[in-house]
């Protein structure tokens, strides 16, 4: 087939929905993360920016972007892969300490099992 890849209808629907729900956030994020001389959203509405280009910019916004925070919530937006790995490490260390304490408790009462660190998506 060759040439440029076409953007799919799912991306267009998702972008359309984001524009309806979060146009102001998108405009602020484009100005913050992709500064240019012209207002990029105005360029899009005037037909001087393609749907694909706008999708590429919006879909790659960082976690602290207003659009991402508005879409997923501030807690979930702040929960990065690094934070998840740290929480997992703490949970595993707590479990190992509990196992050690349980195995070496003697005749005393069994220690309470550790509680995992709460995740923002465990609602």
């Amino acid at each position: 087939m060759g040439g440029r890849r076409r953007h799919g209808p799912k991306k267009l629907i998702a972008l359309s929905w984001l524009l309806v729900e979060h146009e102001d956030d998108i405009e602020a994020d484009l100005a913050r993360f992709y500064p240019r001389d012209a207002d990029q959203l105005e360029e899009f509405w005037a037909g001087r920016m393609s749907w694909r280009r706008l999708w590429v910019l919006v879909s790659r916004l960082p976690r602290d972007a207003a659009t991402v925070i508005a879409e997923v919530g501030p807690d979930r937006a702040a929960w990065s892969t690094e934070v998840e790995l740290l929480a997992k490490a703490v949970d595993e260390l707590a479990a190992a300490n509990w196992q050690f304490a349980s195995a070496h408790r003697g005749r005393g009462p069994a220690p309470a099992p550790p509680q995992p660190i709460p995740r923002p998506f465990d609602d």
Side-chain angles (χ1 to χ4, degrees), residues 4-83:
R4 294 171 50 129
R5 292 186 304 178
R6 305 288 301 168
H7 47 271
K10 291 180 184 177
K11 291 178 183 177
L12 288 175
I13 292 169
L15 182 56
S16 299
W17 186 87
L18 282 171
L19 285 167
V20 168
E21 294 294 318
H22 305 293
E23 182 177 3
D24 291 344
D25 294 322
I26 291 171
E27 184 173 359
D29 288 335
L30 290 175
R32 177 180 174 199
F33 295 106
Y34 310 113
R36 293 175 51 175
D37 294 336
D39 177 9
Q40 294 189 69
L41 208 48
E42 186 177 303
E43 293 289 300
F44 171 75
W45 291 125
R48 293 184 291 269
M49 179 189 290
S50 69
W51 281 88
R52 182 193 175 283
R53 171 116 174 109
L54 185 60
W55 171 256
V56 167
L57 295 177
V58 170
S59 66
R60 283 152 178 83
L61 288 169
R63 290 183 187 283
D64 64 337
T67 307
V68 174
I69 292 170
E71 184 64 19
V72 301
D75 291 339
R76 193 174 286 222
W79 196 266
S80 66
T81 302
E82 292 83 4
V83 173

